[in-house]
Amino acid sequence: MRKNIAAGNWKMNLDLEAGKKLASEVVNMVNDEVSNDAEIILIPPFIHLTAVNQLIGSASNIQLGAQNCHQEKGGAYTGEISLEMLKSVGAEYVVIGHSERREYFGEDNALLAAKTKAVLDNGLKPIYCCGEKLDVREADKHFELNKEQIVEGLFDLSKDEILNVVIAYEPVWAIGTGVTASNEQAQEMHAFIRGLIADKYDQETADSISILYGGSVKPGNAKELFEQPDVDGGLVGGASLKSRDFTDIIKSF
Ligand code: 13P
């Protein structure tokens, strides 16, 4: 179901105490200040999921997400985390195919398609990431590249399945750089992605999927980005590590 979403991807940051402090501050600020109906997702490192879930408690507008998963059910995969495990600690969402996973851990579209399917088969919701690097945009191949990532990662899914996917467009050149895509650049790519879904499935399906923007989202630019007709929220990195900034982003809807 299409909804406004603000997701905070903590990446590999914060020890347990700092993570608990951040989560409890966000929960308190959201309770005190947020009156819109946006869904908020906290995405800490695996090892903090249980603690953060306890702090979220019964706040029904705040959900828990994981940054990655393994696609197999379980077994001899040293160092990996299964979807059963994620479910058992309260995760509802799993980020799949973040550009850092693609870049540093060699995750390709075929693997990400398998992970996405496994997330859905376990009753969780994938946040499937796509996005081009700067050289690709400069070569004017960004639509082609994002299309490839969407088609190869998602289009083996049935209509019922893709309705449970959240997509995040994160241009790599805007991640952690302080350079945000312009409102026009974000809107143009989001509309393109929604169009791909409409062509493959149908318009109603495309209109039911949340497409988030990620890449240097901050309190100062969130409102205008979220006002774009095809931008349904943000996947926030750096600014999600500060409770004040993240809450102000949530309040931008
Ligand atoms: P920044 O908000 O730090 O640019 O990170 C974006 C991101 O990668 C979120 O997944």
Side-chain angles (χ1 to χ4, degrees):
M1 236 266 292
R2 185 163 171 183
K3 48 191 161 190
N4 291 328
I5 296 175
N9 174 10
W10 297 4
K11 306 192 181 184
M12 195 175 74
N13 291 297
L14 307 180
D15 66 12
L16 179 60
E17 282 315 306
K20 282 162 68 173
K21 180 168 180 288
L22 174 61
S24 60
E25 285 172 6
V26 170
V27 170
N28 289 336
M29 286 184 185
V30 166
N31 282 340
D32 290 347
E33 303 175 29
V34 175
S35 54
N36 62 41
D37 63 356
E39 181 151 296
I40 300 152
I41 311 172
L42 299 184
I43 312 176
F46 289 132
I47 198 163
H48 302 339
L49 283 167
T50 299
V52 171
N53 194 39
Q54 279 164 4
L55 291 165
I56 291 172
S58 58
S60 60
N61 52 342
I62 307 182
Q63 307 284 349
L64 189 67
Q67 297 176 16
N68 181 30
C69 66
H70 197 276
Q71 67 278 15
E72 297 295 338
K73 273 189 178 324
Y77 298 99
T78 301
E80 292 295 322
I81 305 284
S82 77
L83 286 151
E84 281 294 333
M85 295 171 196
L86 294 178
K87 255 197 306 197
S88 73
V89 295
E92 299 268 353
Y93 287 90
V94 186
V95 176
I96 297 294
H98 191 281
S99 63
E100 290 146 20
R101 300 296 315 170
R102 293 176 184 268
E103 175 77 9
Y104 306 135
F105 302 95
E107 299 196 357
D108 61 14
N109 292 333
L111 174 67
L112 299 173
K115 289 193 178 198
T116 302
K117 182 79 170 90
V119 172
L120 291 163
D121 287 348
N122 279 276
L124 300 179
K125 293 177 212 148
I127 302 174
Y128 181 85
C129 303
C130 61
E132 79 286 353
K133 293 190 201 169
L134 187 58
D135 59 331
V136 172
R137 180 165 279 267
E138 284 175 348
D140 205 22
K141 296 259 195 287
H142 45 300
F143 291 108
E144 207 175 297
L145 191 277
N146 280 279
K147 179 175 179 181
E148 195 175 287
Q149 292 177 335
I150 295 287
V151 169
E152 293 181 9
L154 296 181
F155 281 5
D156 281 341
L157 299 175
S158 70
K159 188 159 116 176
D160 283 350
E161 287 172 329
I162 202 161
L163 283 167
N164 284 313
V165 175
V166 172
I167 294 173
Y169 168 58
E170 298 205 306
V172 180
W173 46 270
I175 295 179
T177 58
V179 180
T180 316
S182 68
N183 303 329
E184 294 73 25
Q185 285 171 323
Q187 168 54 27
E188 171 181 64
M189 186 59 78
H190 284 226
F192 174 74
I193 292 168
R194 207 178 295 284
L196 293 174
I197 299 165
D199 289 346
K200 165 75 183 171
Y201 299 90
D202 53 48
Q203 192 62 49
E204 197 189 343
T205 303
D207 288 339
S208 301
I209 290 180
S210 297
I211 307 179
L212 314 183
Y213 167 79
S216 299
V217 176
K218 299 196 166 45
N221 59 26
K223 188 169 173 36
E224 52 186 33
L225 281 161
F226 298 172
E227 274 170 4
Q228 303 305 310
D230 287 294
V231 178
D232 303 307
L235 181 55
V236 186
S240 76
L241 299 173
K242 296 184 189 135
S243 51
R244 179 72 272 151
D245 284 0
F246 189 52
T247 306
D248 285 345
I249 289 169
I250 297 164
K251 288 161 74 178
S252 306
F253 289 107

